[in-house]
């Protein structure tokens, strides 16, 4: 027995040595090939255009001065090591291939439009880390000499602290399968990537989609090119396995998010929002043909109030899903206290109700771990999933997940539509009027600074309709019954024109008086349409023109106000469009909203242009807002 074990060990040792020798020879061959070509001048292709340079320094200086991309500054700002820098280069190349801005995610119609757009780069500190994904360890471009040369220029510099053994790192990448030496394989990968890019170009309204890890699919293993990599990797390799780290971050954000809903204060605010609660109550109780005998799923039930409405409306069974452990227990107790718990229906006090509420403590993405529900067995999905600016909190994805898993073909989803609107607001919705006269004292210098700060972050507040200075325009409409999950991220173009203030006719004097538009306000409506609510369709609106709700509105402030006026305005041609001396007749907006790298947050990019009646226009730099 001992001899057999020794033989096996000898065999294994010999095999390992042979394997190591073969691997070493492979890498030596590659090094020799590199050595053979030393006499040939290496050319480095620009990340954004077709320009080529003989050194990395020259290339990066070109990118900095021409394309507003300072590679070395970004590395220092984020402390990127070799792996991070390697992924950054591949990420930028992949975005440029799709005519997409590397920093804000806006998709352009052509490479030339992208190059023009890059002049308006955002502050580095505002940039997230969308390249922090292991898929960018795979070279995007075949024979990209920049990937194994960019670290040479600053080697030995004291001011840059990141150090690495390039040969060891490249060996690690090879071991992982990220760096393939097989040109045919690389070609196939790039061909697949190109197909995807071409398909994306067909859609104009496409924004950077940050390849989020789905909560239900957070894996303990890293996936590379469709193949599971074993978890028993060397410690040095595990340093670049960001998938687990991202999964942990998502879990932490989810815990904090659902934990915040354990506070009764937030539930009182939501239930006390009469506009919100009455809309759901009417949609459920006033449409008996929809609810009678139906099986209902309530996604994110909270106190369970919508589930109880559903039972009162005649539902035969209500599955109330709640991720917060505390609120799941509270919802169960409330159902019991009202005699509507599925375990024991109080037939004396609720003789007209045949169904009951079954509360399941779980994220909807993990629901099948706690309860068995047959696919396509739910008649109605109801959820109050909306956040600020509609999409904050990213709960819509969970509702769509439940729809795709369990809703019957033709089943109802309540609400079934959602629409985002935009309008321009004037000085009255800023803090300027307050600071201009503080007990007779002029403190407008504070007001100007406050407005400047407001141009960097979105503000959730109530806007009075009298302070709107443009018409309202539809930004995006979602059909929850048919939309795809990735359509949550979008880009839209809208035009805003000066408001007529409800007057059928106005004098020339008033028509030609410029008004300053300080930014845009966003709000949303959700519809319980006649598609499902045949007896009583309902609209839940968060508009400035309707009673206020706890969602208020979302305010995005321009860096500088844009002057607008109705009709033709006599202006000097030398004046800048959008100023009081040359007001625009309309404002063109390009708005992009996407799920941010930080889980459950959203990024909003805003581009504005003032347009004159003769078509001349002036554009302002893109602004990036993060709602978190």
């Amino acid at each position: 027995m001992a001899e057999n074990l020794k033989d096996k060990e000898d065999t294994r040792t010999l095999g390992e040595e042979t394997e190591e020798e073969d691997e070493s020879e492979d890498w030596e061959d590659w090094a020799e090939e590199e050595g053979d070509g030393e006499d040939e001048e290496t050319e480095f292709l620009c990340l954004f255009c077709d320009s080529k340079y003989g050194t990395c320094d020259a290339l990066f200086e070109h990118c900095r001065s021409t394309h507003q991309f300072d590679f070395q500054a970004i590395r220092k700002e984020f402390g990127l090591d070799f792996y991070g820098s390697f992924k950054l280069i591949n990420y930028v190349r992949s975005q440029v291939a799709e005519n997409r801005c590397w920093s804000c995610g806006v998709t352009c119609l052509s490479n030339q439009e992208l190059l023009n757009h890059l002049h308006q780069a955002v502050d580095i500190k505002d940039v997230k880390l969308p390249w922090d994904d292991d898929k960018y360890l795979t070279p995007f471009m075949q024979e990209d000499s920049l990937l194994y040369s960019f670290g040479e220029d600053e080697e030995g510099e004291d001011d840059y602290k990141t150090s690495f053994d390039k040969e060891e790192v490249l060996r690690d990448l090879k071991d992982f399968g990220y760096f393939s030496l097989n040109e045919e394989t690389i070609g196939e990968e790039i061909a697949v990537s190109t197909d995807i890019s071409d398909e994306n170009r067909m859609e104009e309204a496409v924004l950077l989609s940050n390849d989020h890890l789905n909560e239900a699919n957070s894996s303990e293993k890293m996936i590379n090119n469709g193949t599971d990599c074993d978890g028993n990797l060397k410690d040095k390799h595990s340093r670049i396995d960001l998938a687990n780290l991202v999964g942990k971050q998502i879990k932490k954000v989810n815990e904090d998010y659902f934990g915040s809903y354990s506070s009764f204060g937030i539930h009182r605010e939501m239930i006390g929002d009469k506009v919100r609660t009455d809309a759901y109550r009417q949609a459920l109780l006033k449409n008996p043909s929809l609810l009678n005998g139906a099986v209902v799923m309530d996604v994110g039930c909270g106190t369970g109030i919508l589930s109880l409405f559903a039972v009162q409306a005649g539902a035969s069974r209500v599955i109330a899903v709640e991720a917060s452990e505390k609120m799941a227990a509270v919802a169960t107790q409330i159902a019991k206290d009202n005699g509507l718990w599925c375990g024991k229906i109080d037939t004396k006090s609720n003789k007209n109700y045949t169904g009951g509420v079954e509360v399941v403590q779980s994220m909807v993405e993990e629901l099948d771990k706690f309860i068995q529900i047959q696919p396509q067995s739910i008649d109605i999905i109801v959820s109050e999933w909306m956040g600020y600016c509609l999409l904050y909190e990213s709960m819509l994805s969970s509702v769509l997940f439940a729809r795709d898993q369990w809703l019957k073909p033709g089943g109802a989803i309540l609400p079934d539509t959602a629409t985002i609107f935009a309008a321009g607001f004037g000085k009255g919705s800023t803090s300027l009027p307050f600071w201009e006269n503080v007990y007779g004292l002029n403190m407008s210098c504070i007001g100007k600074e406050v407005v400047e700060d407001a141009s960097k972050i979105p503000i959730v507040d109530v806007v009075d309709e009298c302070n709107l200075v443009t018409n309202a325009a539809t930004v995006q409409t979602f059909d929850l019954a048919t939309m795809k999950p990735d359509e949550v991220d979008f880009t839209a173009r809208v035009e805003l024109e000066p408001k007529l203030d409800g007057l059928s006719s106005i004098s020339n004097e008033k028509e030609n008086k410029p008004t300053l538009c300080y930014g845009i306000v966003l709000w949303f409506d959700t519809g319980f349409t006649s598609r499902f609510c045949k007896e009583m369709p309902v609209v839940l609106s968060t508009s400035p023109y309707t009673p206020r709700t706890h969602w208020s509105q979302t305010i995005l402030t321009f860096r500088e106000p844009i002057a607008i006026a109705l009709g033709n305005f006599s202006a000097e041609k030398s004046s800048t469009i959008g100023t009081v001396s040359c007001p625009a007749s309309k404002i063109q907006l390009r708005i992009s909203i996407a799920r941010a790298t930080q889980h459950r947050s959203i990024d909003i990019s805003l581009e504005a242009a003032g347009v004159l009646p003769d078509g001349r226009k002036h554009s302002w730099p893109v602004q990036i807002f993060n709602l978190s």
Side-chain angles (χ1 to χ4, degrees):
M1 174 70 79
E3 290 179 0
N4 290 340
L5 287 174
K6 189 174 185 306
D7 291 341
K8 288 181 180 178
E9 290 175 0
D10 291 342
T11 302
R12 186 170 61 248
T13 303
L14 179 60
E16 290 173 352
E17 289 176 354
T18 304
E19 223 173 83
E20 290 175 0
E21 288 175 2
D22 292 343
E23 181 181 319
S24 177
E25 288 175 3
D26 288 342
W27 283 86
E28 287 171 3
D29 290 344
W30 189 37
E32 287 174 7
E33 288 175 9
E34 282 186 322
D36 293 340
E38 282 179 356
D39 295 336
E40 298 178 9
E41 183 179 352
T42 302
E43 288 189 321
F44 301 102
L45 178 65
C46 174
L47 296 171
F48 301 95
C49 65
D50 295 331
S51 301
K52 295 181 180 179
Y53 294 86
T55 66
C56 291
D57 274 346
L59 173 93
F60 290 135
E61 175 57 26
H62 163 75
C63 289
R64 185 194 66 78
S65 61
T66 304
H67 304 306
Q68 303 296 323
F69 177 79
D70 193 336
F71 178 74
Q72 302 298 357
I74 294 171
R75 292 185 72 189
K76 293 180 182 181
E77 181 71 30
F78 294 109
L80 299 181
D81 58 8
F82 178 85
Y83 294 111
S85 305
F86 193 97
K87 290 188 286 187
L88 172 60
I89 291 172
N90 284 318
Y91 168 75
V92 172
R93 290 208 189 277
S94 70
Q95 300 306 295
V96 172
E98 298 184 8
N99 296 327
R100 185 178 291 153
C101 178
W102 72 273
S103 62
C104 70
V106 170
T107 301
C108 300
L109 298 178
S110 65
N111 179 258
Q112 186 58 52
E113 183 179 334
L114 173 63
L115 295 180
N116 294 336
H117 170 84
L118 290 173
H119 286 290
Q120 304 154 2
V122 299
D123 189 339
I124 288 179
K125 294 181 180 178
D126 294 333
V127 178
K128 306 302 175 184
L129 296 174
W131 61 83
D132 217 356
D133 190 313
D134 285 335
K135 70 180 183 179
Y136 296 118
L137 288 171
T138 301
F140 180 80
M141 189 179 78
Q142 186 176 2
E143 298 180 359
D144 190 353
S145 54
L146 186 61
L147 290 175
Y148 47 83
S149 302
F150 67 82
E152 294 176 350
D153 294 329
E154 77 280 348
E155 282 180 358
E157 291 184 4
D158 294 333
D159 61 341
Y160 191 69
K161 303 300 182 183
T162 303
S163 62
F164 52 83
D165 183 333
K166 186 172 67 176
E167 294 301 325
E168 180 181 351
V169 172
L170 289 173
R171 190 185 304 274
D172 290 345
L173 292 173
K174 174 183 175 293
D175 290 343
F176 263 99
Y178 291 118
F179 213 132
S180 171
L181 302 182
N182 185 322
E183 293 185 2
E184 292 181 6
T185 303
I186 295 176
E188 290 173 4
E189 291 173 356
I190 293 177
V192 172
S193 176
T194 304
D195 289 342
I196 295 173
S197 302
D198 290 338
E199 192 172 316
N200 284 346
R201 291 194 195 98
M202 298 296 289
E203 312 238 354
E204 180 179 338
V206 174
L207 180 70
L208 169 64
S209 180
N210 286 316
D211 293 319
H212 299 277
L213 294 176
N214 188 291
E215 300 95 312
N217 295 324
S218 295
S219 173
E220 296 301 320
K221 294 183 293 184
M222 185 171 55
I223 307 299
N224 175 44
N225 294 332
T227 304
D228 289 352
C229 297
D230 292 336
N232 56 348
L233 298 170
K234 299 177 183 179
D235 290 342
K236 64 180 180 181
H237 290 161
S238 64
R239 290 198 299 268
I240 63 171
D241 184 1
L242 298 179
N244 288 341
L245 176 60
V246 174
K248 289 177 182 177
Q249 290 174 337
I250 289 176
K251 182 178 180 181
K252 178 66 167 60
V253 172
N254 282 336
E255 288 174 352
D256 293 343
Y257 168 67
F258 295 122
S260 69
Y261 279 88
S262 297
S263 168
F264 293 134
I266 193 170
H267 291 282
R268 175 168 181 173
E269 181 183 27
M270 291 188 295
I271 294 174
D273 184 341
K274 186 173 175 60
V275 174
R276 164 199 180 270
T277 307
D278 276 354
Y280 276 89
R281 187 169 184 268
Q282 290 180 28
L284 291 168
L285 294 180
K286 302 296 184 180
N287 289 283
S289 66
L290 176 64
L291 271 295
N292 190 31
V295 177
V296 178
M297 178 180 288
D298 181 359
V299 178
C301 71
T303 60
I305 188 170
L306 303 186
S307 297
L308 299 178
F309 288 162
V311 173
Q312 290 177 339
S316 61
R317 181 190 181 193
V318 178
I319 302 169
V321 185
E322 174 55 48
S324 167
E325 182 178 359
K326 178 178 179 180
M327 291 312 301
V330 169
T332 299
Q333 188 60 51
I334 291 174
K336 289 180 178 179
D337 291 346
N338 286 274
L340 297 176
W341 182 50
C342 65
K344 186 177 180 181
I345 302 294
D346 187 346
T347 55
K348 292 183 179 179
S349 58
N350 298 303
K351 58 183 179 180
N352 294 326
Y353 308 145
T354 59
V357 176
E358 177 182 358
V359 181
V360 184
Q361 194 261 304
S362 169
M363 291 174 53
V364 72
E365 291 85 355
E366 299 176 355
L367 189 58
D368 55 1
K369 296 180 181 178
F370 302 93
I371 183 175
Q372 293 299 315
I373 306 175
Q374 291 297 317
Q376 300 183 349
S377 62
I378 300 296
D379 297 302
I380 302 169
I381 291 177
V382 63
S383 179
E384 196 277 79
W385 53 268
M386 298 83 75
Y388 299 130
C389 196
L390 184 68
L391 298 173
Y392 174 63
E393 296 181 344
S394 299
M395 194 177 160
L396 176 55
S397 299
S398 297
V399 176
L400 299 180
F401 177 88
R403 179 201 68 185
D404 295 340
Q405 291 289 111
W406 297 294
L407 189 64
K408 288 181 177 178
I413 186 166
L414 303 177
D416 60 308
T417 65
T419 304
I420 299 175
F421 298 92
F425 65 86
K427 186 176 181 179
S429 287
T430 70
S431 61
L432 290 174
F434 173 84
W435 294 109
E436 287 174 350
N437 186 354
V438 182
Y439 292 95
L441 301 173
N442 181 3
M443 298 186 181
S444 57
C445 62
I446 297 178
K448 292 177 182 177
E449 187 171 333
V450 170
V451 171
E452 183 179 337
D453 291 341
S455 68
K456 302 174 184 176
I457 57 173
I459 297 173
V460 177
D461 202 353
V462 175
V463 176
D464 195 304
E465 65 172 293
C466 68
N467 290 321
L468 298 181
V469 297
T470 75
N471 64 317
T474 299
V475 176
Q476 184 78 351
T477 297
F478 300 100
D479 184 339
L480 274 67
T482 60
M483 70 177 290
K484 299 176 182 178
D486 60 2
E487 291 175 352
V488 172
D489 303 332
F490 69 89
T491 296
R493 300 174 188 266
V494 298
E495 285 190 351
L496 302 179
E497 297 181 351
K499 192 169 69 167
L500 292 173
D501 292 327
L503 301 176
S504 57
S505 61
I506 52 179
S507 65
N508 289 333
E509 180 182 355
K510 184 171 183 180
E511 179 179 351
N512 289 328
K513 183 179 180 181
T515 300
L516 290 178
C517 178
Y518 281 80
I520 65 168
V521 54
L522 301 174
W523 69 87
F524 65 87
D525 289 357
T526 55
F528 304 80
T529 72
S530 57
R531 171 169 47 181
F532 301 124
C533 297
K534 301 188 183 303
E535 287 92 346
M536 180 179 282
V538 180
V539 174
L540 166 55
S541 178
T542 65
S543 166
Y545 296 98
T546 59
R548 66 166 296 177
T549 69
H550 76 282
W551 287 286
S552 301
Q553 288 88 37
T554 302
I555 300 170
L556 306 179
T557 305
F558 295 145
R559 290 193 183 95
E560 58 184 72
I562 301 174
I564 54 175
L566 287 164
N568 293 317
F569 189 90
S570 300
E572 299 178 6
K573 289 191 175 182
S574 60
S575 300
T576 302
I577 299 171
T579 59
V580 174
S581 59
C582 186
S585 61
K586 59 185 175 182
I587 299 174
Q588 292 180 343
L589 300 174
R590 180 182 174 119
I591 302 172
S592 301
I593 299 181
R595 290 159 290 182
T597 304
Q598 182 181 350
H599 191 47
R600 297 198 178 277
S601 301
I602 59 173
D603 286 333
I604 306 171
S605 84
L606 174 64
E607 294 177 89
V611 184
L612 295 180
D614 62 8
R616 287 184 294 141
K617 66 168 63 176
H618 173 71
S619 300
W620 284 265
V622 63
Q623 293 177 250
I624 306 296
F625 300 87
N626 175 257
L627 188 55
S628 58

